[in-house]
Amino acid sequence: MADSLPVSRRTAARALVAVVVLGLFAPAATQAIAPGDSGTPGTVGLEKGTIASEPDGSTVVAIQGFHFQGQGAEKKPARLVSAAPNGSTEWVYDGSNQDARWFYDVDPLPNGNLLVVGTNADGTTVAELDPETREPVWTEFLDLHDTHDVDMLPNGNLVIANMRQWDEAEGVSNDRILVYNRTTDAVVWEWVFRNHYPNDTDGGFNEDWTHVNDVDRIAEGQYLVSPRNFDQAIVINRSTKEIDYRLGSDGNHDVLDEQHNPDWLVSEEGNPTVLVADSENDRVVEYERTDGEWTKTWEVGTGQLAWPRDADRLPNGNTLITDSLNHRVIEVTPRGEIVWEYYATWGPYDAERIGTGDGSNGPTMADQGVTGSYRLYGSAGLIEGTGDTLTFAAAVQNTFAGTPLRGPATEFADTWAGVTPWVRPVWMGSWAFAGAVGGLLVLLGWAVAEAVSARESIRRGVRRAAEDVRTR
């Protein structure tokens, strides 16, 4: 029997690298062949999760959709969706019907219709939509860039959170809150942030200085406003133009960190209360004001939610949460049990329970006798990270918790979790995507190593080629 040929170390190393690369790419390849088994946002689509308790009314969800440099993605569209109490999908309204590439705020109106805010590369569209026919009663185009929230006042005027109002010639931000009269096509009132804040707030003027993402009328002549980049929620007095209340401060991320859609509640004792999706802190939190100071009374889902962007207190005392980057809407009890869950990809922004009014119309946690921090439990877990399974980013963060690498690992995990849902193929899960990225990095390293190893041969080849050119 002939002796077997010896295998060189280089050949063995190449074989080992090839096996590692194939192993890293295998999960992605498997999901490409059988995407229905992947449990990813793209394959889950629109469907029910946990339904432990059916609500009395439907839930309307505004789904932002994916966009990049002004262009939408056909496979990750902006949609307005109605979910039935049993979690089934009742209807879907495509953003293209409103010339909206991205949907943001949706508000139930007193007449039963919906006020829907969408944007495209040219500006903002606002429409009153009949949910029965899915036909607009009226549509208004506003020459305002990337507006996230427009609310209707009792007299029919629109109050608008106007972000990214950048004056390039003057180098200043004109971000503002304004009231617009649709009948006369005129701005009848405005409040410009730079007139009321130090101009070096959040590092100074830039194209997206405030990122003001929400405005609500909370009383006659008072507006609750959310300048996200300033890490605070404020109440503006329309008459005096003073700030009546301020929760949080720029850079104090223990209170709020890039929050969305705060809601105003008043306790039975008359204490102002703010319920808010504290997005960058991945939690929903409630603050109550007593003796002139804000006190955190309740929080839920810290580290379990992924960039939540809306939280509404329901009349039954539960909280309806839009868990954006977990691609779902959940109703949770005061102590964190998920009793209703609906998966809605890509990037749900706002959700409203029909029949309960606009925003929050329920008791404060103080009125319910509940305080403290609570974990979420009871999810169906149809998407990684929403149940017992961890996403790649969460696993990285947990692995290095309590070690000297905790800070860099957390920063990496937060960046990864924020970016990858938008660039990952619709059929690929977070672990498969991480494996594919790892495989590409190994391939790149392999190519560099081969190039370094063969540098003399490459040099000789380049010289010969140059000599051939000169001799022709």
Side-chain angles (χ1 to χ4, degrees), residues 256-425:
L256 294 175
D257 191 357
E258 297 202 349
Q259 76 292 330
H260 284 76
N261 295 338
D263 280 0
W264 186 263
L265 301 166
V266 178
S267 73
E268 292 176 353
E269 295 183 354
N271 296 327
T273 303
V274 174
L275 171 68
V276 59
D278 191 9
S279 305
E280 189 66 23
N281 282 326
D282 290 330
R283 66 179 180 177
V284 167
V285 64
E286 184 165 308
Y287 290 91
E288 184 179 22
R289 188 174 179 86
T290 56
D291 299 324
E293 300 291 335
W294 291 103
T295 301
K296 183 176 69 174
T297 55
W298 178 80
E299 66 179 325
V300 70
T302 302
Q304 296 175 287
L305 298 169
W307 196 247
R309 290 191 290 181
D310 188 42
D312 294 344
R313 181 61 38 75
L314 301 172
N316 64 4
N318 292 344
T319 306
L320 188 69
I321 299 171
T322 304
D323 189 10
S324 287
L325 292 187
N326 277 328
H327 304 279
R328 62 176 178 168
V329 175
I330 54 176
E331 179 184 340
V332 303
T333 67
R335 290 178 170 79
E337 181 185 3
I338 297 172
V339 295
W340 190 89
E341 183 178 41
Y342 181 76
Y343 287 85
T345 58
W346 286 87
Y349 182 87
D350 187 21
E352 297 288 341
R353 178 65 50 75
I354 302 302
T356 63
D358 179 18
S360 290
N361 290 283
T364 69
M365 285 301 167
D367 290 340
Q368 298 184 75
V370 179
T371 59
S373 179
Y374 294 89
R375 301 282 293 170
L376 294 171
Y377 66 97
S379 170
L382 300 187
I383 291 176
E384 295 166 352
T386 60
D388 295 331
T389 60
L390 292 176
T391 61
F392 170 74
V396 169
Q397 194 164 351
N398 289 355
T399 299
F400 293 98
T403 73
L405 295 176
R406 175 183 177 275
T410 299
E411 185 175 352
F412 168 80
D414 287 346
T415 302
W416 180 277
V419 172
T420 56
W422 307 108
V423 299
R424 189 173 69 220

Side-chain angles (χ1 to χ4, degrees), residues 97-223:
N97 294 326
Q98 192 175 313
D99 194 25
R101 295 179 185 172
W102 319 297
F103 273 140
Y104 292 105
D105 193 62
V106 57
D107 291 328
L109 296 174
N111 63 5
N113 291 339
L114 302 170
L115 187 70
V116 186
V117 179
T119 65
N120 56 42
D122 298 320
T124 297
T125 61
V126 185
E128 180 180 338
L129 187 73
D130 184 333
E132 297 297 326
T133 64
R134 266 80 73 197
E135 294 292 333
V137 177
W138 54 263
T139 301
E140 187 83 27
F141 176 79
L142 303 173
D143 187 19
L144 303 173
H145 182 65
D146 202 21
T147 303
H148 286 25
D149 188 31
V150 177
D151 279 16
M152 183 178 287
L153 300 177
N155 63 2
N157 287 348
L158 302 178
V159 58
I160 302 168
N162 181 203
M163 70 168 74
R164 294 177 177 162
Q165 193 71 8
W166 173 245
D167 186 334
E168 185 173 2
E170 297 295 329
V172 300
S173 170
N174 290 321
D175 287 6
R176 58 187 174 158
I177 303 299
L178 63 96
V179 175
Y180 171 72
N181 185 314
R182 292 181 51 241
T183 303
T184 62
D185 188 27
V187 174
V188 298
W189 180 86
E190 68 177 359
W191 193 89
V192 181
F193 281 89
R194 63 181 171 85
N195 295 334
H196 302 274
Y197 275 87
N199 292 170
D200 61 354
T201 303
D202 194 47
F205 294 141
N206 58 65
E207 294 183 10
D208 188 20
W209 188 41
T210 67
H211 200 93
V212 56
N213 56 33
D214 190 56
V215 56
D216 293 330
R217 177 186 181 273
I218 61 171
E220 180 67 35
Q222 283 187 315
Y223 301 136

Side-chain angles (χ1 to χ4, degrees), residues 9-21:
R9 290 183 179 179
R10 179 177 294 182
T11 301
R14 286 171 174 166
L16 178 60
V17 171
V19 170
V20 170
V21 169

